[in-house]
Amino acid sequence: METMEATFGINVFNDFVMRERLPKETYRALHKTIDDGRRLDAQVASVVANAMKDWAIERGATHYTHWFQPLNSVTAEKHDAFITPVTGGKVINEFSGKELVRGEADASSLPSGGLRSTFEARGYTAWDPTSYAFIKDHTLCIPTAYCSYSGDALDKKTPLLRSMEAINRQAVRVLKLFGRNDATRVTPSVGPEQEYFLVDKKLYDQRSDLIFAGRTLFGAPAPKGQELGDHFFGTIKPRVQAFMTELNEELWKLGVLAKTEHNETAPAQHEMAPIYATVNVACDHNQLTMEIMKKVAGRHGLMCLLNEKPFEGVNGSGKHNNWSLTTNTGYNLLEPGDSPHESAQFLLFLVSVIKAVDEHQDMLRASVASAGNDHRLGGFEAPPAIISIFLGDELTEILQALDTGRDYSGREKADMTIGVHMLPKFPRDTTDRNRTSPFAFTGNKFEFRSLGSSASISTANVVLNTIVAESLRQFADELEGAENFQEALHDLIIRNIREHRRIIFNGNNYAPEWITEAEKRGLLRLDSTVDALPCYTAEKNIRLFATHRVLSESELKSRRDIGLDSYAKMIGIEAKTMLMMARRQILPAVIRYTGEMAEAGNRLRQYTPALPQRAAESLVSRLCAGCEELGQRIEELSEVMACSPKDAEPLTEARYMRDQVMPAMRKLRKVADEMESITDRKAWPFPTYDELLFNV
Ligand code: ADP
Ligand code: MG
């Protein structure tokens, strides 16, 4: 077997390969493009394309594709063979610079949210040279951005790249103020932890809800859930281990730094965390990770569930987005430094995040909104729908001390001036960290924990980068004009601590008291996707994204509408799936079983005392009542679905789904689950929770 070191990145056209295969000049020019975010010269592109093609063909590729990320959170690819016909009925392999740099995509079926009318359906794709090309399934994949001909972003990569530019611009301005002219580029680094469930494929195939909705829409709880806490970090079962081993091998070949693997809280739930990377690469790699997880699971007779809430009653799955800012000189701007100078700079960046999160709670909440994630946020298992920051006691005390001019013990400390004194050391604790907070400072990075497990991490990072860019812009504006930098810095930090103190909460975010407290503090509570997504087009947010040239008003509106539309469609699919299962599987099964039990009861008539007969009668009467209610609930849901608004605004449709359809779904589920718990296991038409959760 080849060693991991030998196979790592073997399917990636990475820097190592480029240096080996490109002429020095071309390599240098390409690097300049990558490092400085410049435009690629046509001649350079053509040399790169040729080298890339030769490399890919040597590695068994026959096709190439511009690999992009449309607005529906998955990835899209259209394969083209390298072949070009030549005279004599032969073909040669060709791949030009033009084909590398730019492609056309007639993608009229992909969502555009009104940005592109169908008569001009074509969009174009453009290579993102900061993310390496790779080979997957005999196809050279070129990571690309996807835009309409008028330049509107139709994908998740374009705004992410723009937001990286935005935060770079502002962070570099701030660093200049600290005399750090050596750092000419600042990029967000992200390590996304990915949670998922594994279930047996044979069982999965018997459940229409898993097939169509990705989550169970019926199911009585198993006798055992996660209450013993014996799954988290537990011994990994051989079948799961075999899956994880192969997953790692596949990801490593693609250059994904898969690092940590473990069992998660719920039975059948697991996690994979990679080593962090530049945010757009982290995003591409996370998309690949989700795809490879599903593929590898299939080879092990498993299905990988990425839905945010596959099972009721046990934890759902999320994605923890660990985020920090790195300079091209290798410095983490969220790392508390060792000198007074570094401490002041750290505090400024820290406060820029605090201000950003407080002022743009709405956008952060909206950035993680989806039908699936709504079942998680606010359940007592995942961060609530209310955004707040966990700083930890030490750092909170330091901010308090700065604010009041007193040290820890409460003594007056007149000279607690920022930039003059070092920050007291605070331990980077990893043991008793608050895991209930949606947004936690974890020593040298922030961990945004509200992301859903199936979502692209792009949207959340676009928002994060842009809102912090906005704080830094305001800070730079103020400080650049200051007469005395030290004094101005001191004032600015203290003023911002005071103004944004309300967003800091170190307590238990799952406690019901927190909701009351958060409301008292005036923090936003946006419980559902329907509440959250309209924020995209709030006046303040249109201005924010325009200022930093990340998203235009129409681009924001398209994202809002696509989000609401998918929400409504998803719930529609779920409701229709429930009706199908209830009508064609559950109700017939319960009626059949009721008849069987009634007959059995009759047969017992001759016996005295009549106790078994009475038991049968009591069961039959419960089943009969259940059948009747089941029938009613089916009709109710069916009626509500029939009345759903047609061709209405996405917001109207989404609202109807949340307020009318979902309650009817819940009622139907309730009675069906009750019936499941009194029906013979052999008579139940599909596998139940205990089988699904404990069978792998
Ligand atoms: P946890 O205890 O939450 O699992 P880990 O220390 O395992 O935390 O880190 C989780 C993720 O955070 C990993 O993907 C890791 O690479 C990433 N990470 C670590 N340092 C940074 C950083 N400075 N910036 C961004 N991500 C980071
Ligand atoms: Mg974590």
Side-chain angles (χ1 to χ4, degrees):
M1 208 178 97
E2 285 176 291
T3 64
M4 190 264 278
E5 276 173 42
T7 55
F8 185 85
I10 198 160
N11 287 334
V12 186
F13 195 72
N14 57 24
D15 198 58
F16 181 79
V17 181
M18 286 189 234
R19 200 164 354 171
E20 217 177 47
R21 293 189 166 244
L22 295 174
K24 263 204 183 73
E25 280 306 297
T26 314
Y27 173 78
R28 235 179 275 139
L30 180 62
H31 235 283
K32 198 116 199 76
T33 315
I34 295 173
D35 295 343
D36 306 344
R38 292 228 204 121
R39 233 199 169 70
L40 194 62
D41 174 88
Q43 224 166 357
V44 176
S46 128
V47 179
V48 176
N50 210 38
M52 220 186 240
K53 177 205 69 189
D54 289 345
W55 167 82
I57 289 172
E58 277 169 38
R59 297 218 45 79
T62 52
H63 290 66
Y64 70 92
T65 183
H66 279 210
W67 183 76
F68 61 102
Q69 300 166 26
L71 291 170
N72 52 12
S73 271
V74 295
T75 54
E77 46 193 78
K78 184 193 83 179
H79 300 179
D80 279 306
F82 287 119
I83 52 167
T84 306
V86 288
T87 46
K90 293 228 168 219
V91 293
I92 51 163
N93 286 311
E94 247 183 7
F95 183 51
S96 69
K98 260 213 311 252
E99 286 166 315
L100 164 66
V101 172
R102 195 165 154 141
E104 286 200 18
D106 174 5
S108 44
S109 299
L110 293 168
S112 82
L115 283 177
R116 185 200 53 204
S117 28
T118 20
F119 60 86
E120 45 177 44
R122 285 175 318 157
Y124 69 88
T125 52
W127 182 33
D128 163 20
T130 60
S131 184
Y132 298 135
F134 56 90
I135 298 170
K136 176 170 73 73
D137 302 329
H138 304 291
T139 302
L140 170 69
C141 299
I142 301 151
T144 49
Y146 173 47
C147 292
S148 76
Y149 271 95
S150 49
D152 288 321
L154 295 171
D155 69 343
K156 304 228 164 199
K157 189 188 263 289
T158 308
L160 185 59
L161 295 174
R162 291 180 190 158
S163 75
M164 289 169 71
E165 272 317 304
I167 197 160
N168 169 59
R169 261 192 309 270
Q170 304 306 334
V172 167
R173 276 178 76 193
V174 167
L175 287 177
K176 281 220 169 68
L177 290 164
F178 285 89
R180 296 195 74 114
N181 296 314
D182 54 332
T184 50
R185 208 164 166 81
V186 173
T187 37
S189 301
V190 165
E193 303 164 49
Q194 176 73 48
E195 294 179 339
Y196 60 95
F197 279 83
L198 288 178
V199 297
D200 192 280
K201 170 92 166 66
K202 284 199 214 71
L203 301 178
Y204 170 97
D205 284 338
Q206 297 171 54
R207 294 208 47 142
S208 306
D209 49 3
L210 288 178
I211 293 171
F212 294 117
R215 70 186 193 98
T216 57
L217 300 166
F218 294 104
K224 179 178 184 273
Q226 61 191 43
E227 57 276 72
L228 293 180
D230 53 354
H231 195 254
F232 187 68
F233 282 6
T235 317
I236 299 169
K237 289 190 195 154
R239 197 169 165 202
V240 175
Q241 187 58 64
F243 160 84
M244 288 178 170
T245 303
E246 197 177 328
L247 173 67
N248 289 334
E249 283 165 7
E250 292 286 320
L251 290 175
W252 289 335
K253 281 191 217 161
L254 288 166
V256 178
L257 291 158
K259 166 91 174 158
T260 309
E261 59 191 26
H262 61 81
N263 286 351
E264 254 300 328
T265 308
Q269 192 186 28
H270 313 279
E271 179 182 300
M272 193 289 281
I275 296 174
Y276 66 95
T278 302
V279 61
N280 67 317
V281 172
C283 182
D284 288 356
H285 282 180
N286 182 251
Q287 295 295 130
L288 271 178
T289 298
M290 293 193 284
E291 181 185 329
I292 305 290
M293 276 178 166
K294 289 189 191 154
K295 199 182 287 175
V296 172
R299 293 186 205 143
H300 293 259
L302 298 167
M303 275 312 278
C304 173
L305 306 181
L306 291 172
N307 189 286
E308 283 75 16
K309 193 69 182 177
F311 301 99
E312 208 155 277
V314 295
N315 277 10
S317 299
K319 197 133 52 183
H320 291 176
N321 190 81
N322 295 273
W323 180 93
S324 68
L325 288 173
T326 315
T327 66
N328 59 339
T329 49
Y331 192 84
N332 176 358
L333 297 174
L334 293 175
E335 177 92 46
D338 290 327
S339 69
H341 204 63
E342 286 173 335
S343 292
Q345 187 190 297
F346 162 73
L347 280 176
L348 190 72
F349 279 98
L350 180 80
V351 169
S352 75
V353 179
I354 296 174
K355 170 183 163 72
V357 173
D358 185 29
E359 287 178 350
H360 304 289
Q361 299 159 44
D362 56 344
M363 277 312 300
L364 281 172
R365 170 64 185 94
S367 77
V368 298
S370 71
N373 214 17
D374 277 4
H375 299 293
R376 242 181 104 239
L377 302 179
F380 297 108
E381 50 159 296
I386 303 167
I387 302 286
S388 65
I389 299 183
F390 169 85
L391 278 188
D393 291 339
E394 293 87 4
L395 199 49
T396 306
E397 271 178 41
I398 289 167
L399 294 191
Q400 254 155 18
L402 289 170
D403 178 11
T404 56
R406 286 167 196 275
D407 71 7
Y408 287 167
S409 48
R411 275 186 312 241
E412 198 78 43
K413 216 174 167 193
D415 57 351
M416 190 108 180
T417 318
I418 291 155
V420 180
H421 286 270
M422 251 172 73
L423 281 180
K425 278 269 169 229
F426 57 93
R428 221 195 281 166
D429 196 359
T430 46
T431 49
D432 71 342
R433 261 194 238 155
N434 183 337
R435 297 220 157 244
T436 67
S437 175
F439 203 93
F441 183 71
T442 48
N444 61 356
K445 62 187 191 292
F446 277 97
E447 186 170 340
F448 186 22
R449 300 204 179 103
S450 309
L451 285 75
S453 48
S454 70
S456 157
I457 62 166
S458 167
T459 312
N461 286 294
V462 166
V463 169
L464 204 44
N465 296 342
T466 310
I467 64 179
V468 176
E470 174 59 16
S471 295
L472 294 174
R473 182 187 72 84
Q474 291 181 25
F475 290 180
D477 280 355
E478 185 173 334
L479 296 174
E480 278 168 358
E483 264 171 37
N484 181 328
F485 175 69
Q486 287 303 342
E487 267 176 35
L489 176 67
H490 184 85
D491 288 350
L492 182 145
I493 288 178
I494 291 185
R495 190 176 70 243
N496 276 283
I497 294 172
R498 281 185 195 149
E499 277 172 15
H500 302 292
R501 177 185 289 150
R502 64 169 186 173
I503 198 74
I504 298 167
F505 179 64
N506 294 331
N508 178 8
N509 292 66
Y510 296 171
E513 299 87 75
W514 166 234
I515 296 177
T516 327
E517 163 73 15
E519 272 167 4
K520 234 188 282 166
R521 293 187 185 192
L523 299 183
L524 276 179
R525 180 177 168 187
L526 303 168
D527 281 345
S528 81
T529 298
V530 184
D531 302 313
L533 286 183
C535 303
Y536 268 90
T537 44
E539 198 51 52
K540 132 184 128 67
N541 295 328
I542 293 174
R543 224 177 314 122
L544 167 75
F545 286 97
T547 303
H548 295 278
R549 284 170 273 156
V550 173
L551 287 165
S552 67
E553 182 170 353
S554 53
E555 287 171 331
L556 282 165
K557 185 171 178 302
S558 73
R559 275 140 187 93
R560 182 195 77 162
D561 286 352
I562 289 174
L564 289 167
D565 186 55
S566 341
Y567 173 89
K569 288 204 173 109
M570 195 62 231
I571 293 172
I573 291 170
E574 291 186 350
K576 284 184 268 183
T577 306
M578 282 188 93
L579 285 172
M580 182 174 88
M581 290 172 81
R583 279 187 175 136
R584 294 171 57 187
Q585 294 187 285
I586 301 176
L587 189 57
V590 181
I591 291 175
R592 246 188 324 263
Y593 178 61
T594 309
E596 267 174 43
M597 287 300 103
E599 272 175 38
N602 278 339
R603 283 200 297 273
L604 293 170
R605 222 173 263 263
Q606 49 187 308
Y607 298 105
T608 43
L611 292 179
Q613 189 204 330
R614 259 183 263 151
E617 273 170 9
S618 138
L619 175 60
V620 168
S621 75
R622 282 179 73 192
L623 287 166
C624 283
C627 287
E628 194 187 349
E629 196 188 336
L630 209 50
Q632 270 170 14
R633 299 300 182 214
I634 290 172
E635 284 327 300
E636 278 166 23
L637 178 57
S638 166
E639 211 138 289
V640 172
M641 279 297 285
C643 296
S644 52
K646 304 279 175 299
D647 301 320
E649 280 284 291
L651 182 59
T652 315
E653 287 183 20
R655 225 179 242 144
Y656 184 86
M657 288 296 168
R658 180 192 62 182
D659 299 338
Q660 308 298 323
V661 176
M662 279 176 66
M665 286 166 61
R666 275 193 290 272
K667 283 189 199 151
L668 173 56
R669 175 174 185 154
K670 185 160 177 284
V671 56
D673 291 357
E674 277 162 18
M675 289 301 98
E676 184 196 312
S677 67
I678 56 168
T679 300
D680 187 340
R681 176 190 284 281
K682 290 202 276 305
W684 202 250
F686 40 76
T688 53
Y689 270 30
D690 52 325
E691 295 167 88
L692 285 166
L693 286 168
F694 294 94
N695 200 289
V696 173

